[in-house]
Amino acid sequence: MKEPNYTLLCDYYELTMGNGYFEAGMADQITYFDIFFRQVPDHGGFAIAAGLEQAIEYIENLHFSEEDIAFLRNKGIFSEEFLSYLKHFQFSGDVWAVPEGTPIFPGEPILTVRAPAIEAQLLETFLLLTLNHQSLIATKANRIVRAANGRVVLEFGSRRAQGPDGAVLGARAAYIAGCAGTACTLTDQLYGVPAGGTMAHAWIQMFDDEYTAFKTYCELYPDNATLLVDTYNVLKSGIPNAIRAFREVLLPKGITKCGIRLDSGDITYLSKKARKMLDEAGFPQCQIVASNSLDEMIIRDILMQGAQVDLFGVGERLITSKSDPVFGGVYKLAAVENEQGEIIPKIKLSENVSKITNPHFKKVYRLFENQTGKAFADLICVHDEAVDDTQPIELFDPDYTWKRKTFTDFTAKELLVPVFSHGERVYPKFSTEEIKRYCAEQLDLLWDEVKRFENPHNYYVDLSQKLWDIKHQLLNEKKN
Amino acid sequence: MKEPNYTLLCDYYELTMGNGYFEAGMADQITYFDIFFRQVPDHGGFAIAAGLEQAIEYIENLHFSEEDIAFLRNKGIFSEEFLSYLKHFQFSGDVWAVPEGTPIFPGEPILTVRAPAIEAQLLETFLLLTLNHQSLIATKANRIVRAANGRVVLEFGSRRAQGPDGAVLGARAAYIAGCAGTACTLTDQLYGVPAGGTMAHAWIQMFDDEYTAFKTYCELYPDNATLLVDTYNVLKSGIPNAIRAFREVLLPKGITKCGIRLDSGDITYLSKKARKMLDEAGFPQCQIVASNSLDEMIIRDILMQGAQVDLFGVGERLITSKSDPVFGGVYKLAAVENEQGEIIPKIKLSENVSKITNPHFKKVYRLFENQTGKAFADLICVHDEAVDDTQPIELFDPDYTWKRKTFTDFTAKELLVPVFSHGERVYPKFSTEEIKRYCAEQLDLLWDEVKRFENPHNYYVDLSQKLWDIKHQLLNEKKN
């Protein structure tokens, strides 16, 4: 598919501000913007970054077509000089970001842009919506995968997604975060996420009776016969008919691998009954697939009750992150450069304390215990600081600064990596498969305590002393 | 923008079933599928249909490219004959649907497809996702507009939308349902939804002080100066600086129309204080814009407390329908034609009673009281029935059939209109503006009782006696 031109997928104010910077002679003013988020969805212990590849493609593709310029001219508020500038617009700045699949925590930059004001401002909406959307779905999908506790989870939600991209890119994010596949064919074609599925109720209704529908399906797809057994009555009709079809069509071919799908009713009760019937009929290898408005809470609950499910198809509650459908990433000015090229940190205060920003051009270190390999803290520093992990490090709580702790025997790793340098992409293009593998590796470096659904451990995200001092100096200056 | 090829945005099972119908000699079997939904989001009294235009464009565009065929061949399960069939695939069937902007109720068909099995089955995912998404956002947006009680509501949510389409098409749906505009520039370009906005905090931070930022903005946009006043301190700094900029820049030009925006803090308290300060400074015409995680419940609450807000910018809670982010439309087989062209009704039972379908090729009448013009019931009939509105009509509750009521002096109007006939679009292309106007007109035909947020009146959606009899005959046959 051809990349669409998303240049105008921006908030209108980005263009009026752009025109304003241009007219005020500030077009070349170098700015630093951070993306960070304030809260993990569903009160979880961590989120998973996703969507960077689409953000990169968007930046590479940025341009104003003749049509776009004409559309803007028609608004009657943009100067001709600014419109000429837009004609030749392309991104010339630098971007750093955390790789897709990285666990991320509130308050830390997950992407930083350094660019002239107009360019940096224009990226706001699209970068946010892409990272917010895919990080949301990745984070949710991983919760569901964790609840399934080793059983397979497939993404089945296209039909309830919020628009075509919601379906296609949502399935991509879900796969990165641990789902084994999707029902969405286009996500397979575009991103190599394996698509699969069973049958709709319509298939069964199309035949004179359920048995004929099952038999025909088994004859067509003997190697992949998963039969939907709840069109009429699961225990009285669906499973007996499925067993008969397996016996008559698959067994003569020597095939014992097969499946049934439950899409309504009490999954715990029905799956236990189904397991028993299938085992007794000689199909212990028959897999039981369950779907029907599942999420991590229901899956955890029915597994606790001994539900006999091998594979979960999860739809609407995954693809919309139904229990918490907003990932609140924001894009905030952190610094500007003056004419001498000095970086001047900027802060935004707020009536809401949680909306106060961390100023300056920053970098983030993730600190890992050498003994276990596990991550124990992230440290946000000023860009020109470096953590020396051969020396002990003292961390302190940025709100309760008397809470201090010294760590030794650790390894520090920078979290943000270069993505664009002077307008050129410098970040490799990873396959979805590679991102998925990286994500799994990174999740293994988190303590179980962070992965709990209820009251997860509050992972440390601290500021270096230097950054804390600069922030508080700015707070004291501005609050008067 | 070029239309993307969404043909493969289908659940994989639509293709395996399609191949199955093909191989089983059922490719030409005529089928009838309905889209309907089971529950109004947020326990509301009605929903608003939206997304039909995108569904139509999708159907018109349906085709399998060489690339698509190669991708499918690679799966190793589709017959060459089926792949050849797909090469020449185009939609040849009929579609009926309720026009966009129509209030809709649970259980009634809002779209019906009559087509050969493979074609009809292929449409499932995309039609659902498009109608589900836009109907969801239209329904939510209208709740927010109702809460604002005559004040302007703008859609500001792109950055938190679930993917690019979530932003662009969500803003379209929100406009149809009553929002006055959007922040999303692309929705303006593509769908004529007026885009507007103010400024980000970054604008203010870019200048040495807040006053200079405001003054510069007023000089650039004297006719449209809405100043964001919460970067540092709303009452001590933001509003005084805004007033000074209005006085020094706008008044000398004779301009008194201006605005301020509050984006944090207690909107009720701050807006009342702001109103007083602005009035006393001689700017009674200055509009107060409020944003910051608003929805219908917060808006209703702050207006009850006398908040002085003229215009609401509503973001994440609108564009994701945060409180209930799934619209549960389903696509179900309702009938097939036999070789003699007779229509054979089909039903799907379920362990969950609410998942049992209404069989048959149907039509829906909306019944309006002649005295008030208000709608009082929808009646689902078999396709060959006709309601004679010159005669009294007896309606009955489909579950509690002893609840019966006779109505006279009413007008019956068919709800679904032809959209495709023999594969050709026969439905006009309406502008977004026309759809918005139609939606407002149709909403005026609903009683206020249906529009309540809490315990809305349960609008009647009844079955004709003939349809009820057919349904119960099928239920009795199948349940054994």
Side-chain angles (χ1 to χ4, degrees), chain A residues 12 16 75 183 188 221 265 352, chain B residues 12 16 75 165 183 188 221 265 352:
Chain A
Y12 192 65
T16 49
K75 294 284 168 190
D188 188 340
Y221 303 110
N352 309 43
Chain B
Y12 192 64
T16 49
K75 293 283 167 190
D165 295 321
D188 187 339
Y221 303 111
N352 308 44

Side-chain angles (χ1 to χ4, degrees), chain B residues 448-465:
Chain B
D448 278 349
E449 285 76 354
V450 177
K451 298 178 185 172
R452 263 197 310 264
F453 294 144
E454 320 289 349
N455 287 329
H457 168 68
N458 209 346
Y459 184 88
Y460 298 134
V461 178
D462 293 337
L463 308 187
S464 72
Q465 188 68 54

Side-chain angles (χ1 to χ4, degrees), chain A residues 288-346:
Chain A
I288 299 178
V289 184
S291 48
N292 189 19
S293 299
L294 300 172
D295 63 15
E296 68 273 34
M297 296 306 167
I298 296 172
I299 289 175
R300 184 177 63 168
D301 230 30
I302 65 177
L303 289 179
M304 259 183 56
Q305 297 189 324
Q308 296 294 307
V309 176
D310 303 291
L311 196 150
F312 294 99
V314 184
E316 61 192 43
R317 296 189 186 196
L318 190 167
I319 205 66
T320 65
S321 187
K322 185 167 192 277
S323 53
D324 205 348
V326 171
F327 196 87
V330 295
Y331 188 79
K332 293 292 173 193
L333 183 73
V336 298
E337 283 180 21
N338 68 13
E339 279 164 27
Q340 289 74 47
E342 284 172 305
I343 302 175
I344 315 295
K346 293 280 184 175

